[in-house]
Amino acid sequence: MKAVTVIPSVPESLRLRDVDKPKPNHGQVLLKPIRVGICGTDKEIIEGKYGKAPPGSQYLILGHEALAVVEELGDGVDNVSVGDVVVPTVRRPLDCSLPVDYCPLGHYVEHGIWGLHGHAAEYSVTDAKYLVKVPKELIDVAVLTEPLSVVEKGIDVAFSIGGSRFDWKPKSALILGAGPIGLLSTMVLRLMGLSTTTVATRPPDSLKARLVRELGGVYVDAALSSIEGAFDIVVEATGSPQVTVDGLRHLAPNGVMVLLGVYPPGGVMNDLGNVLTDSVLNNKILVGSVNANIKHFELGLKHMAEAKSRFNDWLSKLITKRATLDNYQEAYSWTHDDIKTVLEINPLS
Ligand code: BGC
């Protein structure tokens, strides 16, 4: 079967390979991926900065944002049936009994990222208990469930930590970045009734800006310093250390800032003392969040259904590029105007 592969740590080693079709073990299913989404983590892996091949394999099959059909059941599987359309979660624990999204590095593997093959292939296998069934009416957009699960977890963390102190009722949010994570964060926070301001570099007539406004949010393409006021929640989705520190200055007293980006090493900061003192004197919380639990995938599907009824085809407009296995290279190239690129693998029959 055909699979999109890289040799981790070797930049530009992206290849379409002919590899053996996998077989499901006990408790696993064979999946026929319909499509996979591509994100910044795939980019990092292709650039040789991240990623790990499964033990005994020289290469890693990419693809952690998948929508797939259950093709075959391994022994002992009774929670899904052949023909179900599903989204697999990404992470599997190794020797870790914490909720899987809280397992430390070295104590988990991740499909298509770290030590476990992904779904950018004609077939893939995964553990049945980590599958989320997708309702028929969401199949067209459900490839966005995985990035949405990351957003759901980040927002869940903000509300649970913030609300553990007193009856905290956030009303406003600042979202830094208008890629898939920034836009999906804007969507969820708007569905939750917060007023939102999303900041990014694209001009006010860009698709990203229009998408923010279609949610009833404010879009700003200027420097953060030009923004007035403070926000109860700040979601950081740019991966820029400078933007992050500037965002922290816009966090309201008792506010929570969630970091969802991955940041380049280094960076110099003036005035660290004032930023830290301000955080102490105003009880500000800064929290990092990665990956997601199956409950966040389920919540994501609930919010998708709500978004479809409130914002019509808004979610499908996030998919700005589609490629197939035969022209896979096109899927793995980026411009600032792309939002979500998907690789179409097996058409749904
Ligand atoms: C994925 C997460 C994963 C993280 C780190 C992200 O792109 O969405 O599921 O935990 O990368 O590997």
Side-chain angles (χ1 to χ4, degrees), residues 21-277:
K21 183 175 165 184
K23 288 192 190 71
N25 289 326
H26 184 88
Q28 292 192 319
V29 294
L30 178 71
L31 295 178
K32 205 167 168 189
I34 301 168
R35 58 183 67 98
V36 295
I38 294 164
C39 79
T41 302
D42 295 293
K43 186 167 189 270
E44 296 245 304
I45 298 172
I46 293 166
E47 289 170 354
K49 297 178 186 157
Y50 195 54
K52 189 176 168 195
S57 173
Q58 193 212 1
Y59 60 84
L60 169 73
I61 299 178
L62 288 176
H64 61 280
E65 299 182 2
L67 176 74
V69 179
V70 176
E71 176 78 359
E72 192 186 313
L73 307 183
D75 298 338
V77 173
D78 57 9
N79 62 324
V80 287
S81 311
V82 169
D84 282 351
V85 177
V86 293
V87 170
T89 68
V90 177
R91 197 179 274 192
R92 306 288 173 267
L94 292 174
D95 50 350
C96 172
S97 56
L98 296 172
V100 65
D101 49 325
Y102 285 95
C103 291
L105 189 64
H107 300 270
Y108 63 78
V109 286
E110 289 184 334
H111 276 295
I113 301 176
W114 200 262
L116 200 58
H117 284 315
H119 309 280
E122 287 173 293
Y123 294 93
S124 61
V125 287
T126 194
D127 305 305
K129 69 173 182 176
Y130 291 99
L131 293 175
V132 184
K133 284 191 219 174
V134 174
K136 247 200 184 82
E137 58 280 11
L138 295 180
I139 289 176
D140 58 339
V141 288
V143 71
L144 298 169
T145 310
E146 198 281 333
L148 181 53
S149 74
V150 168
V151 165
E152 298 285 5
K153 175 180 170 182
I155 293 173
D156 178 22
V157 164
F159 273 82
S160 32
I161 299 183
S164 69
R165 306 165 298 174
F166 62 96
D167 189 20
W168 183 61
K169 293 260 185 297
K171 292 193 170 52
S172 61
L174 175 68
I175 297 101
L176 307 175
I181 296 291
L183 288 170
L184 289 169
S185 299
T186 308
M187 180 193 91
V188 171
L189 290 161
R190 288 294 301 134
L191 288 174
M192 294 173 85
L194 279 83
S195 67
T196 63
T197 300
T198 304
V199 186
T201 55
R202 297 299 92 200
D205 60 349
S206 62
L207 175 62
K208 290 180 176 182
R210 287 201 305 274
L211 286 170
V212 168
R213 289 193 294 266
E214 282 178 26
L215 297 171
V218 173
Y219 179 81
V220 176
D221 71 331
L224 263 180
S225 54
S226 69
I227 293 177
E228 300 271 312
F231 300 81
D232 300 317
I233 293 182
V234 178
V235 177
E236 202 312 291
T238 67
S240 156
Q242 189 57 57
V243 170
T244 304
V245 173
D246 292 344
L248 188 54
R249 294 184 221 266
H250 281 83
L251 190 61
N254 304 318
V256 183
M257 177 165 181
V258 189
L259 306 187
L260 296 177
V262 172
Y263 302 87
V268 179
M269 205 193 137
N270 293 322
D271 202 17
L272 180 59
N274 272 329
V275 172
L276 295 180
T277 301

